[in-house]
Amino acid sequence: MKKYLVIGNPVNHSLSPKLHNYWFKENNINAVYEKKQVRENDIEEIISEMRNGKVEGINVTVPFKKSVIPFLDKIEIPEKTQSVNTIYREKNNITSSNKIIGRNTDIQGFAYSLAHIKYSVKGKKIFILGAGGVTPSIIYALEEMEPSIIMLSNRTKEKAENLKKSFPQLELVEWGDTKNFDMIINTTSLGLQENDKIPINYDQIGPGKFFYDVIYNPNKTNFLLGAEKRGHQIENGKLMFVYQAQEAFRLWTIAPNVPNGLMPQINEKVLQLLEND
Ligand code: ATR
């Protein structure tokens, strides 16, 4: 039986096993997907398990999306994102070299989540909160959608300034300042804890805005609850999560006779499966 893993620290909150195991079953694939909490020192060993065939594919979550990169044979990611969340083995032809390759499916995950709900970013003012591991992938995806402006604010200013080196068009905003925007995206980890509060002033925000939170557990962070109460459109990170997983599944199921891999279905049943217990 083929084995797949999500590695991270912490990793116990991950819904990836539930989703991928469902898709494996649905597609009659004899495989199991498990979560594994690891330390930085374990990464090389885990990736060698892909080389020796013990592990078939890996998802990478916080805080290792960057630190896995040196151990891979090849990365197929936009340089600016420095983020790998999916590791797969090259096997699109029989004579392929079995290279271990890193990809970033968070970019598609974010883009497809907006397509799913038919939200168009073109010409919109975007305000991003946070400058963590997933933020560059989101900026990268947004760039392609031609917003009129991308503002970004992070508690630690230096990290925001570093991001601006890769994405010079960013307009940096002081942490705690509320700007005029059409869409605001929380990419920080604030909201994972029930008492977490994002410092934004709802009274300064006009009606009919779109609040997007990368967090999907809890279902509605305080950031989203506050927005919902005031009648704004809200979306949590569940769709982004499902679409990044779909692309990972596709990469893992590429084979000489299935050159594009299998696209597992995203439907109401799948989304329901991921509702918090
Ligand atoms: P990493 O920084 O290792 O990439 P992450 O979980 O991807 O970790 O990102 C954490 C993000 O949440 C960062 O933007 C972080 O802000 P700092 O750069 O200032 O640390 C933000 N964050 C986490 N806790 C926060 C808090 N209590 N207040 C404000 N921002 C917070």
Side-chain angles (χ1 to χ4, degrees):
M1 188 185 278
K2 287 180 177 165
K3 186 167 148 184
Y4 293 81
L5 289 176
V6 52
I7 60 169
N9 193 355
V11 78
N12 54 341
H13 66 282
S14 173
L15 290 175
S16 292
K18 207 171 182 180
L19 180 57
H20 284 288
N21 284 323
Y22 175 85
W23 279 336
F24 283 140
K25 203 167 162 201
E26 193 182 52
N27 288 279
N28 294 314
I29 295 170
N30 187 21
V32 61
Y33 187 113
E34 293 167 358
K35 48 191 163 193
K36 189 164 179 131
Q37 184 165 319
V38 299
R39 291 160 305 169
E40 193 83 40
N41 287 342
D42 303 325
I43 291 178
E44 188 167 11
E45 169 70 20
I46 298 266
I47 291 174
S48 75
E49 293 204 343
M50 267 194 80
R51 289 186 210 288
N52 66 26
K54 279 192 192 151
V55 173
E56 195 55 30
I58 297 176
N59 276 141
V60 185
T61 185
V62 278
F64 303 123
K65 290 184 182 186
K66 186 173 181 184
S67 47
V68 295
I69 292 176
F71 303 110
L72 304 171
D73 298 326
K74 192 173 158 196
I75 48 171
E76 297 171 338
I77 60 169
E79 178 79 31
K80 298 198 270 193
T81 66
Q82 282 300 301
S83 173
V84 162
N85 76 325
T86 301
I87 304 175
Y88 74 107
R89 191 199 318 279
E90 187 175 62
K91 50 177 182 301
N92 45 4
N93 62 59
I94 299 157
T95 55
S96 72
S97 54
N98 258 345
K99 282 199 175 113
I100 307 298
I101 305 177
R103 281 269 184 121
N104 178 337
T105 73
D106 287 328
I107 300 169
Q108 282 117 307
F110 179 74
Y112 291 169
S113 76
L114 294 183
H116 185 107
I117 58 170
K118 301 188 167 63
Y119 184 83
S120 168
V121 161
K122 197 171 171 134
K124 301 265 171 65
K125 297 187 192 72
I126 312 294
F127 188 17
I128 298 176
L129 304 173
V134 78
T135 316
S137 305
I138 289 180
I139 302 170
Y140 189 87
L142 284 168
E143 268 185 331
E144 313 262 293
M145 303 175 202
E146 300 174 33
S148 65
I149 179 172
I150 307 179
M151 297 167 281
L152 184 138
S153 178
N154 192 53
R155 177 183 59 178
T156 310
K157 215 173 171 179
E158 198 191 345
K159 281 211 228 162
E161 284 163 355
N162 272 335
L163 264 180
K164 193 173 160 74
K165 286 181 194 150
S166 304
F167 300 96
Q169 79 277 37
L170 287 177
E171 296 227 356
L172 302 188
V173 173
E174 285 294 319
W175 183 247
D177 279 5
T178 305
K179 290 284 170 184
N180 181 22
F181 60 82
D182 299 303
M183 176 188 191
I184 185 167
I185 308 165
N186 176 35
T187 74
T188 76
S189 48
L190 270 177
L192 287 174
Q193 309 295 327
E194 210 174 305
N195 295 325
D196 284 349
K197 287 244 157 55
I198 299 243
I200 50 164
N201 185 354
Y202 288 95
D203 296 334
Q204 259 179 270
I205 299 168
K209 309 300 184 189
F210 179 30
F211 284 64
Y212 189 110
D213 203 321
V214 166
I215 296 171
Y216 58 83
N217 188 6
N219 237 316
K220 288 178 191 169
T221 55
N222 287 327
F223 171 73
L224 293 186
L225 286 170
E228 188 177 46
K229 211 163 69 187
R230 292 166 178 88
H232 299 290
Q233 180 183 353
I234 63 167
E235 192 64 47
N236 71 12
K238 198 164 75 174
L239 284 173
M240 177 174 174
F241 167 73
V242 180
Y243 279 100
Q244 65 73 30
Q246 183 187 49
E247 176 63 7
F249 192 97
R250 188 186 72 75
L251 292 167
W252 290 332
T253 50
I254 289 173
N257 57 340
V258 196
N260 294 318
L262 296 172
M263 268 311 230
Q265 279 198 49
I266 292 175
N267 52 29
E268 269 316 305
K269 199 169 167 203
V270 166
L271 297 176
Q272 201 53 45
L273 183 79
L274 302 175
E275 281 307 315
N276 304 323
D277 302 322

PDB file of all heavy atoms in Angstrom, residues 62-63 130-134 154-156 159 175 187-190, ligand 1:
ATOM      1  N   VAL A  62       3.184  24.393   7.912  1.00  0.00           N
ATOM      2  CA  VAL A  62       4.029  25.243   8.757  1.00  0.00           C
ATOM      3  C   VAL A  62       4.828  24.413   9.759  1.00  0.00           C
ATOM      4  O   VAL A  62       4.287  23.449  10.289  1.00  0.00           O
ATOM      5  CB  VAL A  62       3.211  26.293   9.557  1.00  0.00           C
ATOM      6  CG1 VAL A  62       2.901  27.495   8.719  1.00  0.00           C
ATOM      7  CG2 VAL A  62       1.997  25.683  10.174  1.00  0.00           C
ATOM      8  N   PRO A  63       6.051  24.753  10.043  1.00  0.00           N
ATOM      9  CA  PRO A  63       6.839  25.867   9.484  1.00  0.00           C
ATOM     10  C   PRO A  63       7.914  25.396   8.511  1.00  0.00           C
ATOM     11  O   PRO A  63       8.971  26.016   8.421  1.00  0.00           O
ATOM     12  CB  PRO A  63       7.485  26.433  10.754  1.00  0.00           C
ATOM     13  CG  PRO A  63       7.780  25.194  11.578  1.00  0.00           C
ATOM     14  CD  PRO A  63       6.740  24.155  11.207  1.00  0.00           C
ATOM     15  N   GLY A 130      -0.539  40.260   7.469  1.00  0.00           N
ATOM     16  CA  GLY A 130       0.405  39.173   7.728  1.00  0.00           C
ATOM     17  C   GLY A 130       1.491  39.073   6.678  1.00  0.00           C
ATOM     18  O   GLY A 130       1.324  39.539   5.543  1.00  0.00           O
ATOM     19  N   ALA A 131       2.603  38.479   7.078  1.00  0.00           N
ATOM     20  CA  ALA A 131       3.725  38.258   6.161  1.00  0.00           C
ATOM     21  C   ALA A 131       4.389  36.933   6.530  1.00  0.00           C
ATOM     22  O   ALA A 131       5.600  36.847   6.677  1.00  0.00           O
ATOM     23  CB  ALA A 131       4.714  39.421   6.248  1.00  0.00           C
ATOM     24  N   GLY A 132       3.581  35.922   6.696  1.00  0.00           N
ATOM     25  CA  GLY A 132       4.080  34.605   7.087  1.00  0.00           C
ATOM     26  C   GLY A 132       4.342  33.725   5.872  1.00  0.00           C
ATOM     27  O   GLY A 132       4.432  34.214   4.734  1.00  0.00           O
ATOM     28  N   GLY A 133       4.430  32.425   6.123  1.00  0.00           N
ATOM     29  CA  GLY A 133       4.818  31.467   5.087  1.00  0.00           C
ATOM     30  C   GLY A 133       3.912  31.436   3.867  1.00  0.00           C
ATOM     31  O   GLY A 133       4.391  31.274   2.746  1.00  0.00           O
ATOM     32  N   VAL A 134       2.610  31.622   4.056  1.00  0.00           N
ATOM     33  CA  VAL A 134       1.690  31.458   2.926  1.00  0.00           C
ATOM     34  C   VAL A 134       1.475  32.774   2.168  1.00  0.00           C
ATOM     35  O   VAL A 134       0.981  32.795   1.040  1.00  0.00           O
ATOM     36  CB  VAL A 134       0.331  30.865   3.411  1.00  0.00           C
ATOM     37  CG1 VAL A 134      -0.548  31.920   4.069  1.00  0.00           C
ATOM     38  CG2 VAL A 134      -0.423  30.190   2.270  1.00  0.00           C
ATOM     39  N   ASN A 154       1.963  44.056   8.507  1.00  0.00           N
ATOM     40  CA  ASN A 154       2.408  42.970   9.378  1.00  0.00           C
ATOM     41  C   ASN A 154       2.948  43.549  10.676  1.00  0.00           C
ATOM     42  O   ASN A 154       3.552  44.614  10.687  1.00  0.00           O
ATOM     43  CB  ASN A 154       3.517  42.163   8.687  1.00  0.00           C
ATOM     44  CG  ASN A 154       3.813  40.865   9.419  1.00  0.00           C
ATOM     45  OD1 ASN A 154       2.905  40.082   9.674  1.00  0.00           O
ATOM     46  ND2 ASN A 154       5.065  40.653   9.786  1.00  0.00           N
ATOM     47  N   ARG A 155       2.690  42.834  11.774  1.00  0.00           N
ATOM     48  CA  ARG A 155       3.154  43.297  13.091  1.00  0.00           C
ATOM     49  C   ARG A 155       4.655  43.589  13.057  1.00  0.00           C
ATOM     50  O   ARG A 155       5.097  44.654  13.469  1.00  0.00           O
ATOM     51  CB  ARG A 155       2.834  42.222  14.133  1.00  0.00           C
ATOM     52  CG  ARG A 155       3.320  42.555  15.507  1.00  0.00           C
ATOM     53  CD  ARG A 155       3.036  41.433  16.465  1.00  0.00           C
ATOM     54  NE  ARG A 155       3.651  40.169  16.066  1.00  0.00           N
ATOM     55  CZ  ARG A 155       3.571  39.045  16.764  1.00  0.00           C
ATOM     56  NH1 ARG A 155       2.890  39.020  17.887  1.00  0.00           N
ATOM     57  NH2 ARG A 155       4.161  37.941  16.346  1.00  0.00           N
ATOM     58  N   THR A 156       5.419  42.632  12.546  1.00  0.00           N
ATOM     59  CA  THR A 156       6.869  42.842  12.440  1.00  0.00           C
ATOM     60  C   THR A 156       7.176  43.463  11.082  1.00  0.00           C
ATOM     61  O   THR A 156       7.093  42.806  10.046  1.00  0.00           O
ATOM     62  CB  THR A 156       7.618  41.494  12.589  1.00  0.00           C
ATOM     63  OG1 THR A 156       7.122  40.850  13.759  1.00  0.00           O
ATOM     64  CG2 THR A 156       9.110  41.686  12.684  1.00  0.00           C
ATOM     65  N   LYS A 159       9.541  42.015   8.262  1.00  0.00           N
ATOM     66  CA  LYS A 159       9.094  40.925   7.382  1.00  0.00           C
ATOM     67  C   LYS A 159       8.289  41.464   6.206  1.00  0.00           C
ATOM     68  O   LYS A 159       8.380  40.953   5.090  1.00  0.00           O
ATOM     69  CB  LYS A 159       8.243  39.922   8.172  1.00  0.00           C
ATOM     70  CG  LYS A 159       9.064  38.966   8.993  1.00  0.00           C
ATOM     71  CD  LYS A 159       8.327  37.638   9.109  1.00  0.00           C
ATOM     72  CE  LYS A 159       8.278  37.154  10.528  1.00  0.00           C
ATOM     73  NZ  LYS A 159       7.260  36.139  10.754  1.00  0.00           N
ATOM     74  N   TRP A 175       0.962  48.345  11.124  1.00  0.00           N
ATOM     75  CA  TRP A 175       0.125  47.351  11.791  1.00  0.00           C
ATOM     76  C   TRP A 175      -0.877  48.070  12.707  1.00  0.00           C
ATOM     77  O   TRP A 175      -0.480  48.922  13.516  1.00  0.00           O
ATOM     78  CB  TRP A 175       0.998  46.396  12.599  1.00  0.00           C
ATOM     79  CG  TRP A 175       0.238  45.288  13.276  1.00  0.00           C
ATOM     80  CD1 TRP A 175       0.084  45.122  14.618  1.00  0.00           C
ATOM     81  CD2 TRP A 175      -0.454  44.205  12.657  1.00  0.00           C
ATOM     82  NE1 TRP A 175      -0.658  43.993  14.863  1.00  0.00           N
ATOM     83  CE2 TRP A 175      -1.010  43.412  13.686  1.00  0.00           C
ATOM     84  CE3 TRP A 175      -0.666  43.827  11.321  1.00  0.00           C
ATOM     85  CZ2 TRP A 175      -1.764  42.264  13.428  1.00  0.00           C
ATOM     86  CZ3 TRP A 175      -1.414  42.686  11.069  1.00  0.00           C
ATOM     87  CH2 TRP A 175      -1.950  41.923  12.123  1.00  0.00           C
ATOM     88  N   THR A 187      -3.828  36.573   6.545  1.00  0.00           N
ATOM     89  CA  THR A 187      -2.880  35.469   6.350  1.00  0.00           C
ATOM     90  C   THR A 187      -2.072  35.222   7.620  1.00  0.00           C
ATOM     91  O   THR A 187      -1.105  34.477   7.604  1.00  0.00           O
ATOM     92  CB  THR A 187      -1.902  35.734   5.173  1.00  0.00           C
ATOM     93  OG1 THR A 187      -0.933  36.719   5.577  1.00  0.00           O
ATOM     94  CG2 THR A 187      -2.621  36.227   3.932  1.00  0.00           C
ATOM     95  N   THR A 188      -2.445  35.891   8.714  1.00  0.00           N
ATOM     96  CA  THR A 188      -1.730  35.656   9.977  1.00  0.00           C
ATOM     97  C   THR A 188      -2.326  34.426  10.671  1.00  0.00           C
ATOM     98  O   THR A 188      -3.349  33.895  10.249  1.00  0.00           O
ATOM     99  CB  THR A 188      -1.843  36.851  10.953  1.00  0.00           C
ATOM    100  OG1 THR A 188      -3.152  36.843  11.550  1.00  0.00           O
ATOM    101  CG2 THR A 188      -1.602  38.177  10.282  1.00  0.00           C
ATOM    102  N   SER A 189      -1.672  34.028  11.742  1.00  0.00           N
ATOM    103  CA  SER A 189      -2.218  32.901  12.509  1.00  0.00           C
ATOM    104  C   SER A 189      -3.167  33.399  13.599  1.00  0.00           C
ATOM    105  O   SER A 189      -3.675  32.606  14.388  1.00  0.00           O
ATOM    106  CB  SER A 189      -1.072  32.088  13.111  1.00  0.00           C
ATOM    107  OG  SER A 189      -0.149  32.943  13.743  1.00  0.00           O
ATOM    108  N   LEU A 190      -3.414  34.705  13.618  1.00  0.00           N
ATOM    109  CA  LEU A 190      -4.344  35.274  14.605  1.00  0.00           C
ATOM    110  C   LEU A 190      -5.770  34.862  14.261  1.00  0.00           C
ATOM    111  O   LEU A 190      -6.276  35.199  13.187  1.00  0.00           O
ATOM    112  CB  LEU A 190      -4.267  36.800  14.583  1.00  0.00           C
ATOM    113  CG  LEU A 190      -3.264  37.480  15.493  1.00  0.00           C
ATOM    114  CD1 LEU A 190      -3.311  38.983  15.269  1.00  0.00           C
ATOM    115  CD2 LEU A 190      -3.514  37.140  16.948  1.00  0.00           C
TER     116      LEU A 190
HETATM  117  P1  ATR B   1       6.095  32.142   9.983  1.00  0.00           P
HETATM  118  O1  ATR B   1       6.271  33.547  10.477  1.00  0.00           O
HETATM  119  O2  ATR B   1       6.999  31.147  10.613  1.00  0.00           O
HETATM  120  O3  ATR B   1       6.029  32.058   8.501  1.00  0.00           O
HETATM  121  P2  ATR B   1       3.296  31.792   9.940  1.00  0.00           P
HETATM  122  O4  ATR B   1       2.390  31.074  10.852  1.00  0.00           O
HETATM  123  O5  ATR B   1       3.333  31.433   8.514  1.00  0.00           O
HETATM  124  O6  ATR B   1       4.713  31.679  10.567  1.00  0.00           O
HETATM  125  O7  ATR B   1       3.015  33.356  10.020  1.00  0.00           O
HETATM  126  C1  ATR B   1       2.608  33.953  11.138  1.00  0.00           C
HETATM  127  C2  ATR B   1       1.995  35.300  10.757  1.00  0.00           C
HETATM  128  O8  ATR B   1       1.057  35.640  11.767  1.00  0.00           O
HETATM  129  C3  ATR B   1       3.013  36.412  10.739  1.00  0.00           C
HETATM  130  O9  ATR B   1       2.599  37.409   9.844  1.00  0.00           O
HETATM  131  C4  ATR B   1       2.939  36.906  12.177  1.00  0.00           C
HETATM  132  O10 ATR B   1       3.377  38.219  12.383  1.00  0.00           O
HETATM  133  P3  ATR B   1       4.902  38.519  12.777  1.00  0.00           P
HETATM  134  O11 ATR B   1       5.664  38.465  11.498  1.00  0.00           O
HETATM  135  O12 ATR B   1       4.864  39.860  13.387  1.00  0.00           O
HETATM  136  O13 ATR B   1       5.311  37.452  13.749  1.00  0.00           O
HETATM  137  C5  ATR B   1       1.472  36.831  12.417  1.00  0.00           C
HETATM  138  N1  ATR B   1       1.137  36.765  13.838  1.00  0.00           N
HETATM  139  C6  ATR B   1       1.196  35.693  14.642  1.00  0.00           C
HETATM  140  N2  ATR B   1       0.814  35.997  15.903  1.00  0.00           N
HETATM  141  C7  ATR B   1       0.501  37.330  15.878  1.00  0.00           C
HETATM  142  C8  ATR B   1       0.046  38.256  16.853  1.00  0.00           C
HETATM  143  N3  ATR B   1      -0.171  37.889  18.119  1.00  0.00           N
HETATM  144  N4  ATR B   1      -0.172  39.529  16.469  1.00  0.00           N
HETATM  145  C9  ATR B   1       0.041  39.926  15.193  1.00  0.00           C
HETATM  146  N5  ATR B   1       0.477  39.087  14.222  1.00  0.00           N
HETATM  147  C10 ATR B   1       0.705  37.810  14.556  1.00  0.00           C
END
